[in-house]
Amino acid sequence: MNMKIKTLLIGATIAISGGLMSCSDDDFTPTIFDTHDYPLDKTAFTYPLDTFLKVNFLKPYNLRFIYRMEDVGSDMQKNLVPATYEKSMQLAVLAKYLWFDVYKQFAGERFLKENCPRIIHLIGSPAYNPTSGTETLGTAEGGLKITLYKVNVLNVNDIDLMNEYFFHVMHHEFAHILDQTHQRPTTVFDVISNGHYDPLDWQNKHDSLTASWGFVTPYASEAAREDWVETLSCYLTDNEDTWNNRLATAHFDWEDVDFKDVAFAFSAADIKWLSQRGVIFMRDGEEVNDVELSNLKKNGGTVFGADMTINSQDENFDNGSIFNRYISSRQYDVDSIGYLAPQANGDYHVVRKVIARNANGLAMTDIDGHISFGDLDGGGSDGIDGSAIILQKLDLVRTWLKQYYNINIDEMREEIQSRQYARNPDGSFQRDSKGDFVNNLTLMQEDGTNIISRLLMEVLQYSSEQ
């Protein structure tokens, strides 16, 4: 692209020097663009946010933070709606607090001036891709522009949702920009999972399955470049439980089988009934503790099993009626851990942990009668420890960030977590009665304020100038 521009400029110079008109006596400026600092309209309702964006993004980083959706900068092939003023204001202060201020702290202001995008464009609605059945959460264009979608669903009370839709996307797209400046170690990283990348069908892979191959998300299995930035962004935005659950899942081998092959006596009505209840986790002869229950409930899961023990103090967890309905429909006991996964064509698959099975497809047990999960050398195993591969990839990311940008990713992750989640006096993260981490952004302090209200005041303070 640079070569084409240079050629056009040379051509223009020749045309001018050919005697059309001489401009040698003109006073040239450093740029042909209008750099006049036009004052903002103090009578406008949006003046406080416009001023905040100018002071915190435009002036220090030459970054245009656009919340009024621009058609020319949007995907004209999709039906999109603008972000609301309220949600734009919330995302603007959070982007500064959880993204820009953190990178400034660990890499310096010059780093941001040299590497940050020049445009952040907010879109209120989702961006669906009907041909692939996927949803675009964000895009990065040439290291200059980042577009964020679904802004109107932002909820400051739900950090997991904010991370999934916004901050994971921000770090993902920013990592693409950094990768374009100092490329990842391709000769090492790109071959680790060579043979498992699937650019055409990654969206139909399930997260447990791709984790077992060494990918933090299904999207990471699309290509090495996406694998790289997904590893970085997941590590920065995952809380302790989420990250550890990724690694725990990745340690086991998983398989994707057609539901009809394992359904036995299920009718079409049974399949529909089960699918309407979301993710189905099946356990046999195992204890389910509070941490596991919390994770299951977050994912809409229900515990099933023929010989199941629940070791929990949570009296609100009751799966009896669904469990009995499920078991009464089967001819055989549930023998694995997995979930029912609807397919695009209307069929269903079961994604489950690999275990040793006999010729009839039924589980084989050890001498104590227990089913063995996680034996990487046993029944049908592919011999891949996805957890070890993920950690290997993370170590390459860690070294690369330190070498080229002098960023300690572990310390930066700690800072991000501390800003998002409340800590106890001993430094550990606080948990509520359900075992979930406490939202530090909305936690009320003794003075009656919280972090999000103080951040919003950085915008609202400019109302006094109107």
Side-chain angles (χ1 to χ4, degrees), residues 131-156:
T131 56
S132 62
T134 60
E135 178 183 346
T136 300
L137 296 180
T139 59
E141 302 172 27
L144 299 175
K145 177 182 179 181
I146 290 178
T147 300
L148 299 173
Y149 297 93
K150 300 187 76 167
V151 174
N152 290 343
V153 304
L154 186 149
N155 181 359
V156 296

Side-chain angles (χ1 to χ4, degrees), residues 60 62 85 112 139 416:
N62 191 27
Y85 180 78
L112 283 171
T139 59
I416 292 172

Side-chain angles (χ1 to χ4, degrees), residues 240-433:
E240 181 180 342
D241 287 351
T242 302
W243 181 254
N244 289 339
N245 285 336
R246 287 190 195 276
L247 295 181
T249 298
H251 176 69
F252 295 96
D253 291 330
W254 291 74
E255 59 184 352
D256 184 338
V257 295
D258 194 315
F259 185 77
K260 292 188 289 291
D261 294 338
V262 296
F264 299 111
F266 276 99
S267 66
D270 291 325
I271 296 175
K272 181 179 180 181
W273 188 90
L274 288 169
S275 66
Q276 289 174 342
R277 278 143 186 86
V279 180
I280 298 172
F281 292 81
M282 301 171 286
R283 295 178 181 271
D284 184 30
E286 289 198 343
E287 287 192 350
V288 185
N289 59 38
D290 284 319
V291 174
E292 291 172 313
L293 284 178
S294 177
N295 183 50
L296 296 182
K297 287 187 291 183
K298 285 180 180 178
N299 290 280
T302 302
V303 180
F304 297 104
D307 181 19
M308 179 185 62
T309 302
I310 296 182
N311 178 21
S312 172
Q313 304 299 318
D314 187 355
E315 298 177 354
N316 296 320
F317 192 85
D318 179 16
N319 69 320
S321 60
I322 301 178
F323 169 77
N324 291 332
R325 172 70 172 81
Y326 181 82
I327 290 299
S328 66
S329 299
R330 288 198 64 107
Q331 293 178 344
Y332 302 93
D333 291 339
V334 178
D335 62 7
S336 186
I337 301 176
Y339 52 89
L340 196 66
Q343 304 297 294
N345 62 2
D347 292 336
Y348 295 90
H349 282 194
V350 171
V351 181
R352 64 186 183 184
K353 289 182 180 178
V354 173
I355 59 175
R357 298 181 181 278
N358 62 24
N360 296 320
L362 300 179
M364 297 173 60
T365 58
D366 59 22
I367 58 175
D368 296 320
H370 297 145
I371 295 174
S372 177
F373 297 103
D375 180 4
L376 298 180
D377 297 320
S381 169
D382 58 13
I384 298 174
D385 185 349
S387 177
I389 293 176
I390 290 174
L391 292 176
Q392 180 186 3
K393 292 175 179 178
L394 174 61
D395 193 54
L396 290 171
V397 171
R398 179 182 289 113
T399 301
W400 172 82
L401 273 177
K402 187 65 177 179
Q403 177 181 354
Y404 291 107
Y405 299 105
N406 196 30
I407 294 175
N408 186 314
I409 192 174
D410 300 295
E411 292 180 357
M412 187 159 70
R413 180 175 186 264
E414 275 293 302
E415 179 64 24
I416 292 172
Q417 303 295 308
S418 297
R419 293 184 181 221
Q420 290 184 328
Y421 303 105
R423 287 187 181 272
N424 293 309
D426 64 359
S428 62
F429 287 106
Q430 292 184 29
R431 294 181 183 268
D432 59 22
S433 59

